[in-house]
Amino acid sequence: ILKKGKEDLKRAEERHQAVQEAQRKEHLTMLEQAKLAATEDGKRQGREEARRKSEEVERRAKDIEATGMMRVLEERSKMDREFAEEKSRLQQAVIAERQKSAEA
């Protein structure tokens, strides 16, 4: 009876160890899956963050470009006005000179 009890105890311990080993492997597998999922999630978040930053940079570049174009257009408009004013003054001077020449 004692010998049979020892054998039963030994088998129970072996089963217990086998169950513990299986649980440990399952736990490691779960940890690996969790790490993989976290890594994939981190990569996805990183890609989304990079995309958002890229879009922000692109938007800012367009804003800067639009602002630059506005400045160019404003400067061109100012130069056109100045040219028109100068042309008008010159035309008035030519007309005044012709009138003086005609009178003289």
Side-chain angles (χ1 to χ4, degrees):
I1 296 177
L2 190 59
K3 188 176 181 184
K4 186 177 185 305
K6 283 184 181 180
E7 288 174 5
D8 288 346
L9 181 61
K10 187 176 179 184
R11 279 192 299 254
E13 285 177 358
E14 287 172 355
R15 278 195 308 267
H16 179 67
Q17 286 178 352
V19 167
Q20 281 184 331
E21 182 66 20
Q23 287 176 340
R24 186 183 69 76
K25 285 182 180 178
E26 184 178 331
H27 182 68
L28 286 176
T29 301
M30 288 171 50
L31 283 176
E32 289 170 357
Q33 288 175 349
K35 283 181 186 177
L36 182 62
T39 300
E40 287 300 316
D41 190 45
K43 286 179 183 177
R44 182 184 50 77
Q45 287 177 349
R47 286 190 300 267
E48 288 175 0
E49 183 66 23
R51 181 185 50 77
R52 279 195 298 274
K53 285 182 179 180
S54 175
E55 288 173 353
E56 177 68 18
V57 166
E58 190 173 318
R59 187 182 61 73
R60 284 184 183 170
K62 286 181 181 177
D63 288 349
I64 290 169
E65 184 179 349
T67 302
M69 290 299 288
M70 291 295 289
R71 286 186 186 143
V72 166
L73 291 174
E74 288 171 359
E75 188 66 27
R76 183 178 293 162
S77 176
K78 179 182 170 188
M79 290 172 68
D80 287 346
R81 272 194 315 275
E82 290 173 354
F83 175 76
E85 290 170 1
E86 184 66 24
K87 183 178 175 183
S88 177
R89 277 195 298 273
L90 289 173
Q91 286 174 339
Q92 293 297 325
V94 167
I95 291 170
E97 283 295 320
R98 286 183 183 162
Q99 286 175 351
K100 285 182 187 178
S101 296
E103 291 174 3

